[in-house]
Amino acid sequence: DTEVTQTPKHLVMGMTNKKSLKCEQHMGHRAMYWYKQKAKKPPELMFVYSYEKLSINESVPSRFSPECPNSSLLNLHLHALQPEDSALYLCASSQVFHEQFFGPGTRLTVL
Amino acid sequence: EDKVVQSPLSLVVHEGDTVTLNCSYEVTNFRSLLWYKQEKKAPTFLFMLTSSGIEKKSGRLSSILDKKELFSILNITATQTGDSAVYLCAVGMEYGNKLVFGAGTILRVKS
């Protein structure tokens, strides 16, 4: 299996909702990442997990809460989001210090 | 502050043309330089470069890194309409598995 999968593909939520984004890889990668990408902009790093431990948090607001239950899974829990949080959320994985492989993304709309 | 600058921001060429995309960087802890192609969805990995002067090739695409002058180029020969995409350059940092992306070059190949 050589891909990163993400669910759901699309998500529409209100500002009071709680939802979760999921990411899975079976390539044996030990680093996993969450990125946020706005239209016509490059991906912006949010979080990095190395060996299931959070190693980088790029000063992301607490309404975004990452979780890495095991080496294959990465979740992003969303709560009380704002309309400006609407974006494409990309998950990626890699061997440590190697090229990152991206999933197809979740298109999030916050109403 | 770590910085990755790509040029041009966009270009339009005709099928069969050769294009050169540029990426320069100023970062504190350089480890690698990566090129990605992004169409409608997630970035797809093209190359990772760590050593100066060693060209990497994949079909019509090639790339080289100059660590003294702090830049890389991505060449695409005999362009096709399927090459139309955003090409992203990213620098991998020495610590933390972090990638810093440039703004991207939008390439449009006309038939």
Side-chain angles (χ1 to χ4, degrees), chain A residues 21-63:
Chain A
L21 309 184
K22 296 188 182 302
C23 174
E24 191 166 4
Q25 57 89 14
H26 294 289
M27 294 179 277
H29 291 167
R30 301 310 300 270
M32 295 186 77
Y33 314 79
W34 280 115
Y35 288 86
K36 173 182 177 179
Q37 187 174 26
K38 300 281 264 185
K40 300 189 192 305
K41 297 286 188 185
E44 288 176 49
L45 182 67
M46 300 174 72
F47 303 104
V48 180
Y49 274 83
S50 292
Y51 298 97
E52 294 102 72
K53 288 188 171 24
L54 183 65
S55 59
I56 294 180
N57 175 342
E58 291 285 275
S59 304
V60 179
S62 60
R63 57 186 185 269

Side-chain angles (χ1 to χ4, degrees), chain A residues 31 33 35 37 42-43 45 48 50 56 58 90 96-104, chain B residues 31 34 36 38 40-43 45 48 88 93-99 101-103:
Chain A
Y33 314 79
Y35 288 86
Q37 187 174 26
L45 182 67
V48 180
S50 292
I56 294 180
E58 291 285 275
L90 294 164
V96 175
F97 295 130
H98 282 66
E99 59 272 23
Q100 296 179 20
F101 293 93
F102 286 82
Chain B
R31 182 175 186 90
L34 298 92
Y36 287 87
Q38 186 170 26
K40 293 204 185 307
K41 290 189 176 177
F45 171 73
M48 185 169 81
L88 293 163
M93 310 301 282
E94 183 67 39
Y95 302 108
N97 292 320
K98 182 176 173 176
L99 287 183
F101 280 88

Side-chain angles (χ1 to χ4, degrees), chain B residues 50-63:
Chain B
T50 55
S51 301
S52 269
I54 298 174
E55 186 183 51
K56 291 213 170 180
K57 270 183 83 78
S58 176
R60 296 176 294 103
L61 277 66
S62 63
S63 183

Side-chain angles (χ1 to χ4, degrees), chain A residues 11-17 63-64 78-87 89 107-111:
Chain A
L11 178 62
V12 179
M13 59 187 289
M15 289 191 283
T16 57
N17 292 157
R63 57 186 185 269
F64 295 91
L78 313 172
H79 174 54
L81 294 193
Q82 305 295 310
E84 60 265 28
D85 296 321
S86 298
Y89 287 84
R107 178 76 59 188
L108 174 67
T109 303
V110 182
L111 301 176

Side-chain angles (χ1 to χ4, degrees), chain B residues 5-12 21-22 85-87 102-107:
Chain B
V5 178
Q6 292 186 244
S7 64
L9 290 181
S10 68
L11 73 163
V12 180
L21 310 184
N22 303 294
V86 176
Y87 289 84
T105 294
I106 303 169
L107 173 64

